[in-house]
Amino acid sequence: AQLALERDYESQREYDTRYRVLTEATRDAFLFVGAKSGRVVDANPVACELLGVARNDLIGASVAHEFEGRRRVEFMEMLTQAATADETRPTELETRRTRQAVRLYATAFRAAGERLVLCRLDPVADGAQAGDEMN
Amino acid sequence: AQLALERDYESQREYDTRYRVLTEATRDAFLFVGAKSGRVVDANPVACELLGVARNDLIGASVAHEFEGRRRVEFMEMLTQAATADETRPTELETRRTRQAVRLYATAFRAAGERLVLCRLDPVADGAQAGDEMN
């Protein structure tokens, strides 16, 4: 059993590395957020640049703090709703530090007993804002 | 030691799940290829659509077979060179089944003792082909 566990462990380590390489190679901005804590679990380089913050300062911080005019509780409610509802429906937000309009696409999932939300942040080009998505 | 291994194993399982969710949420087309075998280890939904092939048929198949006019040996030489050289320099290719011009960006890495190449495939819009990248 020990041996089988170690073999399995090796193959899992491969996913760890694949995950890291993938986060760095994608051109999309991604945040992993704890569904309960509302804190950033991981962020890729594109997301850090879009939000205008270093990865070390972002990890462990409240995700709501990175966007304009949203209180933590309100933000997490929105995030949970977005993640559980039709995932093709984005939420329009503005980044706090870089004042960039973005569309947030959320996907909820469970990993190792913890509920996480993957957030993809798509920058909105000037003049291309979808009015029906604005609050 | 057994317990520590199991705890570690749990956290690795989390990366497994995060990896899977990320491959499905990104808008980029990604292939993981064995550097030695030249065979596709994994492909995300966007890559399958771009290449016009089901994931099950793609995994285990020779990656060279998915592109026009490239023999296996020649393709792997190109891939290894692209992955080890300046990764910002893409290779221009044409998909075999869908006849789509793409730029391939390769990143080489090692995971669980195996050398892998991550390939990002960016479709080239008509009329936007970079002449100096063509062979």
Side-chain angles (χ1 to χ4, degrees), chain A residues 97-135:
Chain A
R97 301 172 205 256
T98 54
R99 306 274 168 167
Q100 167 72 53
V102 295
R103 289 202 183 92
L104 184 149
Y105 291 82
T107 311
F109 65 102
R110 187 174 283 274
E114 195 190 3
R115 282 195 307 128
L116 291 174
V117 180
L118 174 62
C119 303
R120 198 184 79 212
L121 301 172
D122 299 350
V124 179
D126 287 333
Q129 298 195 1
D132 57 348
E133 297 294 342
M134 299 292 283
N135 291 323

PDB file of all heavy atoms in Angstrom, chain A residues 97-135:
ATOM      1  N   ARG A  97      -6.668  49.040  -8.405  1.00  0.00           N
ATOM      2  CA  ARG A  97      -5.367  49.693  -8.555  1.00  0.00           C
ATOM      3  C   ARG A  97      -5.122  50.218  -9.957  1.00  0.00           C
ATOM      4  O   ARG A  97      -4.489  51.253 -10.143  1.00  0.00           O
ATOM      5  CB  ARG A  97      -4.247  48.720  -8.196  1.00  0.00           C
ATOM      6  CG  ARG A  97      -4.342  48.186  -6.772  1.00  0.00           C
ATOM      7  CD  ARG A  97      -3.312  47.082  -6.566  1.00  0.00           C
ATOM      8  NE  ARG A  97      -3.685  46.165  -5.509  1.00  0.00           N
ATOM      9  CZ  ARG A  97      -3.150  46.164  -4.288  1.00  0.00           C
ATOM     10  NH1 ARG A  97      -2.247  47.049  -3.967  1.00  0.00           N
ATOM     11  NH2 ARG A  97      -3.530  45.286  -3.390  1.00  0.00           N
ATOM     12  N   THR A  98      -5.592  49.484 -10.977  1.00  0.00           N
ATOM     13  CA  THR A  98      -5.274  49.856 -12.366  1.00  0.00           C
ATOM     14  C   THR A  98      -6.473  50.456 -13.100  1.00  0.00           C
ATOM     15  O   THR A  98      -6.354  50.848 -14.259  1.00  0.00           O
ATOM     16  CB  THR A  98      -4.769  48.618 -13.155  1.00  0.00           C
ATOM     17  OG1 THR A  98      -5.742  47.565 -13.025  1.00  0.00           O
ATOM     18  CG2 THR A  98      -3.434  48.122 -12.617  1.00  0.00           C
ATOM     19  N   ARG A  99      -7.625  50.539 -12.433  1.00  0.00           N
ATOM     20  CA  ARG A  99      -8.846  51.138 -13.012  1.00  0.00           C
ATOM     21  C   ARG A  99      -9.174  50.576 -14.385  1.00  0.00           C
ATOM     22  O   ARG A  99      -9.431  51.323 -15.331  1.00  0.00           O
ATOM     23  CB  ARG A  99      -8.695  52.666 -13.105  1.00  0.00           C
ATOM     24  CG  ARG A  99      -8.321  53.321 -11.805  1.00  0.00           C
ATOM     25  CD  ARG A  99      -9.552  53.614 -11.000  1.00  0.00           C
ATOM     26  NE  ARG A  99      -9.225  53.982  -9.627  1.00  0.00           N
ATOM     27  CZ  ARG A  99     -10.084  54.517  -8.784  1.00  0.00           C
ATOM     28  NH1 ARG A  99     -11.316  54.767  -9.170  1.00  0.00           N
ATOM     29  NH2 ARG A  99      -9.745  54.780  -7.551  1.00  0.00           N
ATOM     30  N   GLN A 100      -9.097  49.254 -14.469  1.00  0.00           N
ATOM     31  CA  GLN A 100      -9.356  48.573 -15.740  1.00  0.00           C
ATOM     32  C   GLN A 100     -10.713  47.870 -15.649  1.00  0.00           C
ATOM     33  O   GLN A 100     -10.967  47.140 -14.691  1.00  0.00           O
ATOM     34  CB  GLN A 100      -8.229  47.560 -15.985  1.00  0.00           C
ATOM     35  CG  GLN A 100      -8.478  46.555 -17.087  1.00  0.00           C
ATOM     36  CD  GLN A 100      -8.422  47.155 -18.475  1.00  0.00           C
ATOM     37  OE1 GLN A 100      -7.455  47.810 -18.836  1.00  0.00           O
ATOM     38  NE2 GLN A 100      -9.463  46.939 -19.262  1.00  0.00           N
ATOM     39  N   ALA A 101     -11.572  48.124 -16.655  1.00  0.00           N
ATOM     40  CA  ALA A 101     -12.850  47.413 -16.715  1.00  0.00           C
ATOM     41  C   ALA A 101     -12.587  45.965 -17.113  1.00  0.00           C
ATOM     42  O   ALA A 101     -11.860  45.704 -18.069  1.00  0.00           O
ATOM     43  CB  ALA A 101     -13.782  48.077 -17.713  1.00  0.00           C
ATOM     44  N   VAL A 102     -13.148  45.022 -16.341  1.00  0.00           N
ATOM     45  CA  VAL A 102     -12.951  43.601 -16.632  1.00  0.00           C
ATOM     46  C   VAL A 102     -14.283  42.850 -16.549  1.00  0.00           C
ATOM     47  O   VAL A 102     -15.211  43.287 -15.878  1.00  0.00           O
ATOM     48  CB  VAL A 102     -11.941  42.927 -15.657  1.00  0.00           C
ATOM     49  CG1 VAL A 102     -10.536  43.487 -15.817  1.00  0.00           C
ATOM     50  CG2 VAL A 102     -12.409  43.045 -14.210  1.00  0.00           C
ATOM     51  N   ARG A 103     -14.338  41.724 -17.234  1.00  0.00           N
ATOM     52  CA  ARG A 103     -15.454  40.799 -17.073  1.00  0.00           C
ATOM     53  C   ARG A 103     -14.937  39.609 -16.298  1.00  0.00           C
ATOM     54  O   ARG A 103     -13.924  39.027 -16.663  1.00  0.00           O
ATOM     55  CB  ARG A 103     -15.992  40.336 -18.428  1.00  0.00           C
ATOM     56  CG  ARG A 103     -16.728  41.408 -19.185  1.00  0.00           C
ATOM     57  CD  ARG A 103     -17.684  40.807 -20.223  1.00  0.00           C
ATOM     58  NE  ARG A 103     -18.325  41.879 -20.967  1.00  0.00           N
ATOM     59  CZ  ARG A 103     -17.848  42.372 -22.107  1.00  0.00           C
ATOM     60  NH1 ARG A 103     -16.755  41.883 -22.633  1.00  0.00           N
ATOM     61  NH2 ARG A 103     -18.486  43.352 -22.716  1.00  0.00           N
ATOM     62  N   LEU A 104     -15.631  39.246 -15.225  1.00  0.00           N
ATOM     63  CA  LEU A 104     -15.215  38.122 -14.396  1.00  0.00           C
ATOM     64  C   LEU A 104     -16.084  36.901 -14.700  1.00  0.00           C
ATOM     65  O   LEU A 104     -17.308  36.951 -14.619  1.00  0.00           O
ATOM     66  CB  LEU A 104     -15.337  38.496 -12.913  1.00  0.00           C
ATOM     67  CG  LEU A 104     -14.845  37.466 -11.877  1.00  0.00           C
ATOM     68  CD1 LEU A 104     -14.326  38.181 -10.633  1.00  0.00           C
ATOM     69  CD2 LEU A 104     -15.942  36.490 -11.486  1.00  0.00           C
ATOM     70  N   TYR A 105     -15.424  35.796 -15.103  1.00  0.00           N
ATOM     71  CA  TYR A 105     -16.097  34.517 -15.325  1.00  0.00           C
ATOM     72  C   TYR A 105     -15.708  33.579 -14.189  1.00  0.00           C
ATOM     73  O   TYR A 105     -14.514  33.326 -13.992  1.00  0.00           O
ATOM     74  CB  TYR A 105     -15.672  33.906 -16.660  1.00  0.00           C
ATOM     75  CG  TYR A 105     -16.168  34.669 -17.860  1.00  0.00           C
ATOM     76  CD1 TYR A 105     -15.496  35.801 -18.305  1.00  0.00           C
ATOM     77  CD2 TYR A 105     -17.301  34.259 -18.555  1.00  0.00           C
ATOM     78  CE1 TYR A 105     -15.948  36.506 -19.412  1.00  0.00           C
ATOM     79  CE2 TYR A 105     -17.756  34.956 -19.673  1.00  0.00           C
ATOM     80  CZ  TYR A 105     -17.083  36.075 -20.086  1.00  0.00           C
ATOM     81  OH  TYR A 105     -17.529  36.776 -21.180  1.00  0.00           O
ATOM     82  N   ALA A 106     -16.686  33.079 -13.445  1.00  0.00           N
ATOM     83  CA  ALA A 106     -16.401  32.267 -12.263  1.00  0.00           C
ATOM     84  C   ALA A 106     -16.814  30.810 -12.467  1.00  0.00           C
ATOM     85  O   ALA A 106     -17.831  30.516 -13.073  1.00  0.00           O
ATOM     86  CB  ALA A 106     -17.116  32.843 -11.055  1.00  0.00           C
ATOM     87  N   THR A 107     -15.981  29.896 -11.969  1.00  0.00           N
ATOM     88  CA  THR A 107     -16.277  28.461 -11.979  1.00  0.00           C
ATOM     89  C   THR A 107     -16.016  27.912 -10.582  1.00  0.00           C
ATOM     90  O   THR A 107     -14.909  28.043 -10.070  1.00  0.00           O
ATOM     91  CB  THR A 107     -15.358  27.702 -12.962  1.00  0.00           C
ATOM     92  OG1 THR A 107     -15.354  28.377 -14.217  1.00  0.00           O
ATOM     93  CG2 THR A 107     -15.807  26.272 -13.151  1.00  0.00           C
ATOM     94  N   ALA A 108     -17.050  27.324  -9.962  1.00  0.00           N
ATOM     95  CA  ALA A 108     -16.887  26.758  -8.620  1.00  0.00           C
ATOM     96  C   ALA A 108     -16.493  25.296  -8.727  1.00  0.00           C
ATOM     97  O   ALA A 108     -16.949  24.579  -9.610  1.00  0.00           O
ATOM     98  CB  ALA A 108     -18.185  26.891  -7.841  1.00  0.00           C
ATOM     99  N   PHE A 109     -15.608  24.858  -7.843  1.00  0.00           N
ATOM    100  CA  PHE A 109     -15.247  23.441  -7.799  1.00  0.00           C
ATOM    101  C   PHE A 109     -14.724  23.091  -6.412  1.00  0.00           C
ATOM    102  O   PHE A 109     -14.490  23.967  -5.587  1.00  0.00           O
ATOM    103  CB  PHE A 109     -14.215  23.104  -8.889  1.00  0.00           C
ATOM    104  CG  PHE A 109     -12.884  23.765  -8.715  1.00  0.00           C
ATOM    105  CD1 PHE A 109     -11.804  23.060  -8.219  1.00  0.00           C
ATOM    106  CD2 PHE A 109     -12.702  25.102  -9.049  1.00  0.00           C
ATOM    107  CE1 PHE A 109     -10.568  23.661  -8.055  1.00  0.00           C
ATOM    108  CE2 PHE A 109     -11.467  25.712  -8.894  1.00  0.00           C
ATOM    109  CZ  PHE A 109     -10.400  24.991  -8.389  1.00  0.00           C
ATOM    110  N   ARG A 110     -14.555  21.802  -6.176  1.00  0.00           N
ATOM    111  CA  ARG A 110     -14.089  21.327  -4.888  1.00  0.00           C
ATOM    112  C   ARG A 110     -12.768  20.613  -5.100  1.00  0.00           C
ATOM    113  O   ARG A 110     -12.643  19.778  -6.006  1.00  0.00           O
ATOM    114  CB  ARG A 110     -15.132  20.364  -4.291  1.00  0.00           C
ATOM    115  CG  ARG A 110     -14.865  19.915  -2.896  1.00  0.00           C
ATOM    116  CD  ARG A 110     -16.021  19.099  -2.370  1.00  0.00           C
ATOM    117  NE  ARG A 110     -17.150  19.929  -1.993  1.00  0.00           N
ATOM    118  CZ  ARG A 110     -17.269  20.502  -0.785  1.00  0.00           C
ATOM    119  NH1 ARG A 110     -16.361  20.316   0.129  1.00  0.00           N
ATOM    120  NH2 ARG A 110     -18.326  21.234  -0.505  1.00  0.00           N
ATOM    121  N   ALA A 111     -11.751  20.974  -4.313  1.00  0.00           N
ATOM    122  CA  ALA A 111     -10.432  20.343  -4.429  1.00  0.00           C
ATOM    123  C   ALA A 111      -9.917  20.023  -3.037  1.00  0.00           C
ATOM    124  O   ALA A 111      -9.786  20.922  -2.211  1.00  0.00           O
ATOM    125  CB  ALA A 111      -9.458  21.259  -5.156  1.00  0.00           C
ATOM    126  N   ALA A 112      -9.638  18.742  -2.789  1.00  0.00           N
ATOM    127  CA  ALA A 112      -9.127  18.277  -1.496  1.00  0.00           C
ATOM    128  C   ALA A 112      -9.998  18.782  -0.350  1.00  0.00           C
ATOM    129  O   ALA A 112      -9.504  19.275   0.662  1.00  0.00           O
ATOM    130  CB  ALA A 112      -7.667  18.706  -1.308  1.00  0.00           C
ATOM    131  N   GLY A 113     -11.303  18.692  -0.524  1.00  0.00           N
ATOM    132  CA  GLY A 113     -12.244  19.036   0.548  1.00  0.00           C
ATOM    133  C   GLY A 113     -12.562  20.506   0.682  1.00  0.00           C
ATOM    134  O   GLY A 113     -13.441  20.892   1.450  1.00  0.00           O
ATOM    135  N   GLU A 114     -11.849  21.353  -0.094  1.00  0.00           N
ATOM    136  CA  GLU A 114     -12.061  22.790   0.014  1.00  0.00           C
ATOM    137  C   GLU A 114     -12.797  23.307  -1.216  1.00  0.00           C
ATOM    138  O   GLU A 114     -12.503  22.882  -2.333  1.00  0.00           O
ATOM    139  CB  GLU A 114     -10.701  23.493   0.119  1.00  0.00           C
ATOM    140  CG  GLU A 114     -10.786  24.921   0.597  1.00  0.00           C
ATOM    141  CD  GLU A 114      -9.440  25.654   0.462  1.00  0.00           C
ATOM    142  OE1 GLU A 114      -8.486  25.041  -0.059  1.00  0.00           O
ATOM    143  OE2 GLU A 114      -9.374  26.825   0.842  1.00  0.00           O
ATOM    144  N   ARG A 115     -13.750  24.217  -0.997  1.00  0.00           N
ATOM    145  CA  ARG A 115     -14.458  24.802  -2.133  1.00  0.00           C
ATOM    146  C   ARG A 115     -13.647  25.982  -2.658  1.00  0.00           C
ATOM    147  O   ARG A 115     -13.281  26.879  -1.909  1.00  0.00           O
ATOM    148  CB  ARG A 115     -15.852  25.232  -1.735  1.00  0.00           C
ATOM    149  CG  ARG A 115     -16.818  24.037  -1.648  1.00  0.00           C
ATOM    150  CD  ARG A 115     -18.265  24.470  -1.618  1.00  0.00           C
ATOM    151  NE  ARG A 115     -18.501  25.445  -0.570  1.00  0.00           N
ATOM    152  CZ  ARG A 115     -19.084  26.621  -0.735  1.00  0.00           C
ATOM    153  NH1 ARG A 115     -19.538  26.957  -1.930  1.00  0.00           N
ATOM    154  NH2 ARG A 115     -19.250  27.447   0.269  1.00  0.00           N
ATOM    155  N   LEU A 116     -13.377  25.970  -3.957  1.00  0.00           N
ATOM    156  CA  LEU A 116     -12.611  27.040  -4.595  1.00  0.00           C
ATOM    157  C   LEU A 116     -13.421  27.626  -5.738  1.00  0.00           C
ATOM    158  O   LEU A 116     -14.314  26.973  -6.281  1.00  0.00           O
ATOM    159  CB  LEU A 116     -11.287  26.493  -5.149  1.00  0.00           C
ATOM    160  CG  LEU A 116     -10.216  26.036  -4.151  1.00  0.00           C
ATOM    161  CD1 LEU A 116      -9.050  25.404  -4.888  1.00  0.00           C
ATOM    162  CD2 LEU A 116      -9.729  27.197  -3.300  1.00  0.00           C
ATOM    163  N   VAL A 117     -13.098  28.866  -6.087  1.00  0.00           N
ATOM    164  CA  VAL A 117     -13.697  29.494  -7.259  1.00  0.00           C
ATOM    165  C   VAL A 117     -12.560  29.942  -8.174  1.00  0.00           C
ATOM    166  O   VAL A 117     -11.665  30.674  -7.750  1.00  0.00           O
ATOM    167  CB  VAL A 117     -14.570  30.712  -6.883  1.00  0.00           C
ATOM    168  CG1 VAL A 117     -15.177  31.332  -8.139  1.00  0.00           C
ATOM    169  CG2 VAL A 117     -15.660  30.316  -5.905  1.00  0.00           C
ATOM    170  N   LEU A 118     -12.599  29.461  -9.405  1.00  0.00           N
ATOM    171  CA  LEU A 118     -11.642  29.940 -10.404  1.00  0.00           C
ATOM    172  C   LEU A 118     -12.265  31.153 -11.090  1.00  0.00           C
ATOM    173  O   LEU A 118     -13.394  31.084 -11.593  1.00  0.00           O
ATOM    174  CB  LEU A 118     -11.347  28.849 -11.441  1.00  0.00           C
ATOM    175  CG  LEU A 118     -10.470  29.278 -12.623  1.00  0.00           C
ATOM    176  CD1 LEU A 118      -9.087  29.731 -12.179  1.00  0.00           C
ATOM    177  CD2 LEU A 118     -10.345  28.144 -13.634  1.00  0.00           C
ATOM    178  N   CYS A 119     -11.538  32.276 -11.079  1.00  0.00           N
ATOM    179  CA  CYS A 119     -12.019  33.497 -11.723  1.00  0.00           C
ATOM    180  C   CYS A 119     -11.147  33.814 -12.920  1.00  0.00           C
ATOM    181  O   CYS A 119      -9.936  33.959 -12.781  1.00  0.00           O
ATOM    182  CB  CYS A 119     -11.951  34.683 -10.761  1.00  0.00           C
ATOM    183  SG  CYS A 119     -12.856  34.433  -9.234  1.00  0.00           S
ATOM    184  N   ARG A 120     -11.763  33.903 -14.099  1.00  0.00           N
ATOM    185  CA  ARG A 120     -11.037  34.399 -15.272  1.00  0.00           C
ATOM    186  C   ARG A 120     -11.419  35.857 -15.448  1.00  0.00           C
ATOM    187  O   ARG A 120     -12.610  36.188 -15.448  1.00  0.00           O
ATOM    188  CB  ARG A 120     -11.420  33.595 -16.516  1.00  0.00           C
ATOM    189  CG  ARG A 120     -10.400  33.755 -17.653  1.00  0.00           C
ATOM    190  CD  ARG A 120     -10.845  33.042 -18.906  1.00  0.00           C
ATOM    191  NE  ARG A 120     -11.836  33.811 -19.614  1.00  0.00           N
ATOM    192  CZ  ARG A 120     -12.835  33.285 -20.343  1.00  0.00           C
ATOM    193  NH1 ARG A 120     -12.981  31.979 -20.438  1.00  0.00           N
ATOM    194  NH2 ARG A 120     -13.690  34.070 -20.955  1.00  0.00           N
ATOM    195  N   LEU A 121     -10.421  36.730 -15.570  1.00  0.00           N
ATOM    196  CA  LEU A 121     -10.670  38.155 -15.722  1.00  0.00           C
ATOM    197  C   LEU A 121     -10.330  38.574 -17.145  1.00  0.00           C
ATOM    198  O   LEU A 121      -9.171  38.546 -17.541  1.00  0.00           O
ATOM    199  CB  LEU A 121      -9.806  38.958 -14.741  1.00  0.00           C
ATOM    200  CG  LEU A 121      -9.987  38.655 -13.249  1.00  0.00           C
ATOM    201  CD1 LEU A 121      -8.924  39.387 -12.435  1.00  0.00           C
ATOM    202  CD2 LEU A 121     -11.377  39.045 -12.783  1.00  0.00           C
ATOM    203  N   ASP A 122     -11.346  38.939 -17.910  1.00  0.00           N
ATOM    204  CA  ASP A 122     -11.112  39.406 -19.286  1.00  0.00           C
ATOM    205  C   ASP A 122     -11.191  40.927 -19.322  1.00  0.00           C
ATOM    206  O   ASP A 122     -12.243  41.483 -19.002  1.00  0.00           O
ATOM    207  CB  ASP A 122     -12.169  38.832 -20.237  1.00  0.00           C
ATOM    208  CG  ASP A 122     -12.144  37.313 -20.279  1.00  0.00           C
ATOM    209  OD1 ASP A 122     -11.197  36.721 -19.725  1.00  0.00           O
ATOM    210  OD2 ASP A 122     -13.074  36.732 -20.859  1.00  0.00           O
ATOM    211  N   PRO A 123     -10.108  41.610 -19.724  1.00  0.00           N
ATOM    212  CA  PRO A 123     -10.170  43.071 -19.838  1.00  0.00           C
ATOM    213  C   PRO A 123     -11.212  43.471 -20.876  1.00  0.00           C
ATOM    214  O   PRO A 123     -11.332  42.818 -21.910  1.00  0.00           O
ATOM    215  CB  PRO A 123      -8.760  43.459 -20.311  1.00  0.00           C
ATOM    216  CG  PRO A 123      -7.910  42.271 -20.059  1.00  0.00           C
ATOM    217  CD  PRO A 123      -8.805  41.066 -20.136  1.00  0.00           C
ATOM    218  N   VAL A 124     -11.956  44.530 -20.581  1.00  0.00           N
ATOM    219  CA  VAL A 124     -12.957  45.026 -21.521  1.00  0.00           C
ATOM    220  C   VAL A 124     -12.326  46.178 -22.289  1.00  0.00           C
ATOM    221  O   VAL A 124     -11.856  47.145 -21.682  1.00  0.00           O
ATOM    222  CB  VAL A 124     -14.222  45.514 -20.780  1.00  0.00           C
ATOM    223  CG1 VAL A 124     -15.247  46.055 -21.774  1.00  0.00           C
ATOM    224  CG2 VAL A 124     -14.805  44.392 -19.946  1.00  0.00           C
ATOM    225  N   ALA A 125     -12.281  46.065 -23.616  1.00  0.00           N
ATOM    226  CA  ALA A 125     -11.732  47.142 -24.437  1.00  0.00           C
ATOM    227  C   ALA A 125     -12.655  48.349 -24.362  1.00  0.00           C
ATOM    228  O   ALA A 125     -13.868  48.200 -24.225  1.00  0.00           O
ATOM    229  CB  ALA A 125     -11.582  46.669 -25.880  1.00  0.00           C
ATOM    230  N   ASP A 126     -12.084  49.558 -24.435  1.00  0.00           N
ATOM    231  CA  ASP A 126     -12.883  50.792 -24.401  1.00  0.00           C
ATOM    232  C   ASP A 126     -13.928  50.764 -25.501  1.00  0.00           C
ATOM    233  O   ASP A 126     -13.628  50.451 -26.640  1.00  0.00           O
ATOM    234  CB  ASP A 126     -11.984  52.025 -24.589  1.00  0.00           C
ATOM    235  CG  ASP A 126     -11.159  52.286 -23.341  1.00  0.00           C
ATOM    236  OD1 ASP A 126     -11.618  51.908 -22.251  1.00  0.00           O
ATOM    237  OD2 ASP A 126     -10.065  52.846 -23.462  1.00  0.00           O
ATOM    238  N   GLY A 127     -15.156  51.129 -25.137  1.00  0.00           N
ATOM    239  CA  GLY A 127     -16.227  51.221 -26.121  1.00  0.00           C
ATOM    240  C   GLY A 127     -16.871  49.884 -26.445  1.00  0.00           C
ATOM    241  O   GLY A 127     -17.763  49.811 -27.258  1.00  0.00           O
ATOM    242  N   ALA A 128     -16.411  48.818 -25.786  1.00  0.00           N
ATOM    243  CA  ALA A 128     -16.959  47.488 -26.067  1.00  0.00           C
ATOM    244  C   ALA A 128     -17.718  46.946 -24.858  1.00  0.00           C
ATOM    245  O   ALA A 128     -17.889  45.751 -24.715  1.00  0.00           O
ATOM    246  CB  ALA A 128     -15.833  46.537 -26.443  1.00  0.00           C
ATOM    247  N   GLN A 129     -18.146  47.822 -23.968  1.00  0.00           N
ATOM    248  CA  GLN A 129     -18.830  47.379 -22.752  1.00  0.00           C
ATOM    249  C   GLN A 129     -20.258  46.963 -23.049  1.00  0.00           C
ATOM    250  O   GLN A 129     -21.002  47.661 -23.728  1.00  0.00           O
ATOM    251  CB  GLN A 129     -18.833  48.499 -21.702  1.00  0.00           C
ATOM    252  CG  GLN A 129     -17.412  48.867 -21.293  1.00  0.00           C
ATOM    253  CD  GLN A 129     -17.399  49.692 -20.028  1.00  0.00           C
ATOM    254  OE1 GLN A 129     -18.452  49.960 -19.470  1.00  0.00           O
ATOM    255  NE2 GLN A 129     -16.230  50.083 -19.581  1.00  0.00           N
ATOM    256  N   ALA A 130     -20.624  45.816 -22.508  1.00  0.00           N
ATOM    257  CA  ALA A 130     -21.986  45.310 -22.686  1.00  0.00           C
ATOM    258  C   ALA A 130     -22.895  45.958 -21.645  1.00  0.00           C
ATOM    259  O   ALA A 130     -22.767  45.695 -20.466  1.00  0.00           O
ATOM    260  CB  ALA A 130     -21.995  43.798 -22.543  1.00  0.00           C
ATOM    261  N   GLY A 131     -23.769  46.813 -22.092  1.00  0.00           N
ATOM    262  CA  GLY A 131     -24.607  47.591 -21.174  1.00  0.00           C
ATOM    263  C   GLY A 131     -25.484  46.738 -20.288  1.00  0.00           C
ATOM    264  O   GLY A 131     -25.698  47.069 -19.128  1.00  0.00           O
ATOM    265  N   ASP A 132     -25.960  45.609 -20.807  1.00  0.00           N
ATOM    266  CA  ASP A 132     -26.902  44.794 -20.039  1.00  0.00           C
ATOM    267  C   ASP A 132     -26.208  44.023 -18.914  1.00  0.00           C
ATOM    268  O   ASP A 132     -26.863  43.425 -18.087  1.00  0.00           O
ATOM    269  CB  ASP A 132     -27.657  43.823 -20.960  1.00  0.00           C
ATOM    270  CG  ASP A 132     -26.732  42.915 -21.736  1.00  0.00           C
ATOM    271  OD1 ASP A 132     -25.522  43.180 -21.749  1.00  0.00           O
ATOM    272  OD2 ASP A 132     -27.228  41.958 -22.333  1.00  0.00           O
ATOM    273  N   GLU A 133     -24.882  44.066 -18.888  1.00  0.00           N
ATOM    274  CA  GLU A 133     -24.164  43.383 -17.817  1.00  0.00           C
ATOM    275  C   GLU A 133     -23.834  44.328 -16.663  1.00  0.00           C
ATOM    276  O   GLU A 133     -23.419  43.904 -15.613  1.00  0.00           O
ATOM    277  CB  GLU A 133     -22.851  42.766 -18.332  1.00  0.00           C
ATOM    278  CG  GLU A 133     -23.028  41.693 -19.365  1.00  0.00           C
ATOM    279  CD  GLU A 133     -23.711  40.451 -18.810  1.00  0.00           C
ATOM    280  OE1 GLU A 133     -23.747  40.276 -17.577  1.00  0.00           O
ATOM    281  OE2 GLU A 133     -24.227  39.673 -19.605  1.00  0.00           O
ATOM    282  N   MET A 134     -24.021  45.649 -16.926  1.00  0.00           N
ATOM    283  CA  MET A 134     -23.675  46.649 -15.897  1.00  0.00           C
ATOM    284  C   MET A 134     -24.753  46.697 -14.823  1.00  0.00           C
ATOM    285  O   MET A 134     -25.941  46.553 -15.095  1.00  0.00           O
ATOM    286  CB  MET A 134     -23.569  48.046 -16.529  1.00  0.00           C
ATOM    287  CG  MET A 134     -22.504  48.148 -17.597  1.00  0.00           C
ATOM    288  SD  MET A 134     -20.824  48.012 -16.957  1.00  0.00           S
ATOM    289  CE  MET A 134     -20.629  49.666 -16.273  1.00  0.00           C
ATOM    290  N   ASN A 135     -24.329  46.942 -13.610  1.00  0.00           N
ATOM    291  CA  ASN A 135     -25.289  47.112 -12.516  1.00  0.00           C
ATOM    292  C   ASN A 135     -25.514  48.596 -12.266  1.00  0.00           C
ATOM    293  O   ASN A 135     -24.586  49.311 -12.031  1.00  0.00           O
ATOM    294  CB  ASN A 135     -24.757  46.446 -11.249  1.00  0.00           C
ATOM    295  CG  ASN A 135     -24.749  44.928 -11.420  1.00  0.00           C
ATOM    296  OD1 ASN A 135     -25.634  44.363 -12.034  1.00  0.00           O
ATOM    297  ND2 ASN A 135     -23.708  44.281 -10.893  1.00  0.00           N
TER     298      ASN A 135
END
